[in-house]
Amino acid sequence: MIAHRAGRLTEAEVGYCRVLRSRPNEPSALRFLALLHFHRGEADSALQYLSRSLEHEPRNPRAWNDLGGMFISLSRADDALAAYRKAVVADPSFAEGWYNIGICLRDTGDLEGALDNLREAIARQADYFRAYEALAMLLYQLGRMREAAETYLEWSVRDPANSKARHMAAAASGQNVPSRASEDYVRDLFDSAAGKFDLNVEQLSYRAPELVAAALASHASERPLLAVLDAGCGTGLCGPLIRARCETLVGIDLSQKMIDQARARGCYDELIPAELTAFMQAHPNSFDAVVCADTLVYFGSLDEALNAARTTLRPSGLLIVTLEALIASRNEDDRDAGIESGVGENNDGSTSADHRLQFHGRYAHSEAYIRRVFGDTGFEVELLIREPLRKEALQDVAGYLVTARRR
Ligand SMILES: C[S@@+](CC[C@H](N)C(=O)[O-])C[C@H]1O[C@@H](n2cnc3c(N)ncnc32)[C@H](O)[C@@H]1O
């Protein structure tokens, strides 16, 4: 097992087989040999070893759970569900089994069944945290905002060190809303999204990079801009659209995994893992333009980031950003979620009518606030237009494209 965990599969296999020569029905040796074969792509022999293990140890929930996992990988959803059900019959306190039943039911469209089983996972093991997240997201998709908010809050209380639990609890409940998303939250979110980011945003008809690139092109049509910073460059979707306009193009991002994807595009002169506010403050008078596509949506108050942008821009430098639009009227979802009505004041003097952390975890900003905060931080707004940024649940997400010049 030590060799197996260290990835020395041949050595591990020799060890398991030696056990099985003296004790041919030893359930653990059969089970781990099954997992080894499965990871090596030998599904048939894996299933045979695991079935033999279960014949001799039918009350081992983990072995049933492994069988379910193999069936999921083989796209045999019904068999997987049956295996997970046997896991919880073998041991009703096995939270992972309830969770996996919930996920199987969710993926096959039995959403009420999924909710019941995810709740059961939590009831069986209060610190089985992935069940809170899956349950809250499913409730959100079903429009049951109050229950989703309660689930996120319970998760954050039980798992206070978890930045995602804290952020989503604030987003869903309107309580303890931070002035911007924490760096840990953003880094974890995008490190785990990096591999599928481009595919996901393509499916959402994501437009922020093209909007930003068109705005930059309209200002830089005559001559290439000298130095451009892509702040929150992500996987580098802006890069190919703006490269020809720049003499040098620098990308920065909190997520190393997003940066790795951007590097593969090969169109940035420099890619630096960094927090954008700190980076811009530390590089005064360095850029002719800063583009920031779909990134300030992780900031509520914008003054710190905009002050930093003014610092890093050369005189008359351009700042081009997209933001999500805060629609003035409160909607049913918010009331349902129990978010307090009325206008609250934030630490920087802005109010909840200026920006709001939305249920899905990003901030939206009002047009009046955007105009005010750009003006207050030393920018002349040259263009502020409403544009759809992407689709969510087949609906356009309304945003703003802002082009501003350092005064
Ligand atoms: C939605 S993605 C957009 C990426 C890219 N601009 C695009 O349009 O495809 C937001 C990116 O901003 C980064 N980000 C968010 N807050 C940041 C911060 N404070 N400093 C640096 N990067 C940040 C995230 O890591 C993520 O890669």
Side-chain angles (χ1 to χ4, degrees):
M1 286 168 69
I2 289 168
H4 195 168
R5 272 191 222 111
R8 302 194 307 270
L9 297 190
T10 308
E11 190 184 339
E13 186 171 20
V14 169
Y16 294 138
C17 289
R18 189 175 297 164
V19 173
L20 291 171
R21 268 201 298 280
S22 55
R23 283 176 286 155
N25 298 324
E26 210 293 314
S28 296
L30 287 166
R31 176 176 161 224
F32 291 123
L33 189 57
L35 291 173
L36 189 150
H37 275 240
F38 199 77
H39 290 148
R40 231 171 25 198
E42 296 156 7
D44 289 345
S45 55
L47 290 172
Q48 281 167 16
Y49 282 124
L50 198 50
S51 302
R52 270 178 61 200
S53 172
L54 280 161
E55 266 169 41
H56 297 282
E57 196 180 32
R59 299 201 64 77
N60 182 347
R62 299 200 171 276
W64 287 115
N65 197 54
D66 291 340
L67 186 63
M70 288 183 191
F71 283 138
I72 290 285
S73 300
L74 297 170
S75 302
R76 290 169 58 180
D78 291 346
D79 292 329
L81 186 56
Y84 291 136
R85 288 204 158 117
K86 290 208 167 127
V88 298
V89 168
D91 178 1
S93 71
F94 184 58
E96 191 172 339
W98 295 107
Y99 170 85
N100 282 328
I101 296 171
I103 298 300
C104 276
L105 293 177
R106 181 197 68 188
D107 293 347
T108 52
D110 178 357
L111 302 186
E112 287 302 324
L115 292 177
D116 288 346
N117 282 277
L118 292 171
R119 287 204 167 99
E120 192 65 38
I122 293 170
R124 299 285 176 170
Q125 188 184 329
D127 63 355
Y128 196 74
F129 296 128
R130 54 208 290 240
Y132 291 85
E133 184 175 7
L135 177 61
M137 281 175 61
L138 186 52
L139 288 163
Y140 170 59
Q141 280 158 18
L142 291 168
R144 290 159 65 168
M145 302 307 188
R146 180 179 293 280
E147 290 167 85
E150 284 165 5
T151 306
Y152 278 128
L153 280 170
E154 195 185 336
W155 178 24
S156 72
V157 167
R158 291 190 184 276
D159 190 11
N162 187 311
S163 57
K164 185 169 199 178
R166 281 201 312 274
H167 185 83
M168 293 311 294
S173 69
Q175 296 171 18
N176 300 320
V177 174
S179 65
R180 62 187 248 201
S182 76
E183 291 182 28
D184 284 350
Y185 168 73
V186 171
R187 199 178 287 112
D188 290 352
L189 181 68
F190 286 98
D191 274 351
S192 51
K196 290 189 180 154
F197 182 85
D198 291 1
L199 188 65
N200 286 346
V201 296
E202 195 185 319
Q203 287 163 353
L204 300 175
S205 312
Y206 176 60
R207 299 178 65 229
E210 69 190 67
L211 291 173
V212 159
L216 190 70
S218 71
H219 282 87
S221 50
E222 300 298 313
R223 59 185 176 89
L225 289 156
L226 298 177
V228 177
L229 175 68
D230 186 354
C233 62
T235 60
L237 288 174
C238 291
L241 306 178
I242 62 176
R243 174 70 255 191
R245 313 266 166 212
C246 326
E247 206 164 283
T248 60
L249 177 59
V250 177
I252 56 168
D253 202 284
L254 268 176
S255 157
Q256 179 65 53
K257 297 239 165 79
M258 296 292 269
I259 293 253
D260 293 343
Q261 302 278 329
R263 185 158 288 119
R265 277 184 215 280
C267 54
Y268 290 82
D269 297 295
E270 251 190 296
L271 282 161
I272 303 165
E275 198 288 312
L276 63 88
T277 312
F279 179 90
M280 293 193 294
Q281 262 157 1
H283 294 81
N285 275 308
S286 301
F287 295 98
D288 300 293
V290 173
V291 297
C292 198
D294 206 33
T295 295
L296 294 183
V297 293
Y298 293 97
F299 290 69
S301 303
L302 293 176
D303 48 357
E304 235 193 302
L306 296 188
N307 274 320
R310 193 201 48 226
T311 302
T312 208
L313 281 169
R314 295 180 179 136
S316 302
L318 279 178
L319 173 61
I320 302 174
V321 310
T322 64
L323 292 159
E324 281 188 25
L326 177 59
I327 313 300
S329 68
R330 311 191 69 78
N331 60 30
E332 290 304 316
D333 291 353
D334 290 348
R335 275 201 293 278
D336 189 26
I339 296 172
E340 285 166 24
S341 56
V343 175
E345 183 148 338
N346 302 316
N347 293 338
D348 64 344
S350 63
T351 70
S352 54
D354 293 331
H355 51 80
R356 180 136 47 100
L357 180 56
Q358 304 168 98
F359 213 109
H360 53 47
R362 291 179 297 275
Y363 293 83
H365 298 84
S366 74
E367 181 175 339
Y369 173 67
I370 295 169
R371 288 192 184 281
R372 193 174 82 233
V373 72
F374 271 74
D376 289 350
T377 51
F379 284 97
E380 201 75 58
V381 173
E382 294 191 346
L383 176 89
L384 194 165
I385 46 169
R386 204 69 186 253
E387 285 281 355
L389 296 178
R390 65 170 179 286
K391 298 219 182 275
E392 224 165 78
L394 303 178
Q395 304 283 327
D396 280 339
V397 173
Y400 294 113
L401 171 68
V402 187
T403 302
R405 195 175 284 282
R406 184 186 142 172
R407 266 196 228 113

